[in-house]
Amino acid sequence: AAQGQDRLKRPVAALLGGVAAKVTLKPGVKTYSTAVGGHETVSFADGTRIELNTDTVLRTRMTTQSRTVWLDKGEAYFQVKHDAAHPFTVMIGGRRVTDLGTKFVVRRGASALRVAVVQGRVRFDAPNAFATRQTAMLTPGDVATATAQSMSVVRSTAKAIGQDLGWRHGMLTFHQATLAAAAAEFNRYNSKTIV
């Protein structure tokens, strides 16, 4: 009887060991976040780099089939190593940005989402309140803004987009901004607010 139990234990142990190995080897979702005023750069084995701006929450899931990132809050600058066989997708609520070989920035605000392309191309899919999906192919200089009701794409200059990315170097630049808009931007980086 003891011999029969040993034979039964071996296959069960092997099965449990195999399941544990499969669960352990399966890559999971990792969360990265920055505090108010924080800045962090995350690098991945494929050469992709993501810079997180102030008060940002980002989740990643990198597998051998796909690379998916969820921007739950804040702003991030993406330098994606393009690989058509392993797409890189950024999910922002019900909206999706798909890399087509590029550098771009995504900012998730309270009422709008903004995507600006620095280099390469991205496809931006954004459903609206009317249950229709709007899609735009963005190239360098394109800035897409999506709200619950609409999506628009405008052309910007490399200089203007570069100034918007000043946070990567600890700088904020304003051009013809109202005092209220400048104060609101400063308040994103500080726990004490300017009124």
Side-chain angles (χ1 to χ4, degrees):
Q3 232 177 5
Q5 285 178 339
D6 269 352
R7 274 187 264 166
L8 181 61
K9 286 181 184 176
R10 280 187 227 137
V12 170
L15 176 65
L16 290 175
V19 169
K22 190 172 187 176
V23 170
T24 304
L25 297 175
K26 184 177 180 182
V29 174
K30 292 186 180 179
T31 302
Y32 302 91
S33 63
T34 56
V36 172
H39 179 250
E40 182 180 344
T41 301
V42 182
S43 298
F44 297 92
D46 68 353
T48 296
R49 290 171 38 104
I50 304 172
E51 289 184 53
L52 282 63
N53 196 3
T54 181
D55 197 20
T56 297
V57 177
L58 182 91
R59 292 177 291 133
T60 64
R61 181 175 171 87
M62 304 295 190
T63 68
T64 55
Q65 290 79 32
S66 66
R67 302 171 293 168
T68 305
V69 171
W70 294 268
L71 182 61
D72 295 328
K73 176 181 170 184
E75 182 174 25
Y77 176 71
F78 299 85
Q79 298 178 62
V80 179
K81 180 72 172 177
H82 182 65
D83 181 351
H86 304 95
F88 186 94
T89 304
V90 181
M91 302 299 295
I92 315 102
R95 299 169 180 112
R96 178 177 54 216
V97 175
T98 305
D99 160 65
L100 301 173
T102 192
K103 296 178 182 178
F104 60 97
V105 64
V106 179
R107 181 172 177 175
R108 183 177 186 168
S111 60
L113 168 70
R114 183 174 180 270
V115 178
V117 178
V118 176
Q119 178 182 325
R121 296 182 306 137
V122 300
R123 185 177 68 234
F124 182 42
D125 298 302
N128 62 28
F130 310 107
T132 58
R133 182 167 290 280
Q134 297 175 303
T135 299
M137 294 298 288
L138 306 177
T139 57
D142 285 343
V143 178
T145 303
T147 66
Q149 290 77 30
S150 66
M151 179 175 72
S152 65
V153 178
V154 297
R155 293 289 298 163
S156 187
T157 64
K159 182 178 180 182
I161 292 175
Q163 288 175 343
D164 287 346
L165 288 169
W167 59 265
R168 296 178 58 218
H169 308 289
M171 296 176 55
L172 296 176
T173 304
F174 302 96
H175 180 68
Q176 295 184 345
T178 65
L179 187 56
E185 187 65 16
F186 272 108
N187 290 341
R188 291 181 60 219
Y189 296 86
N190 296 292
S191 55
K192 291 185 179 180
T193 59
I194 299 171
V195 178

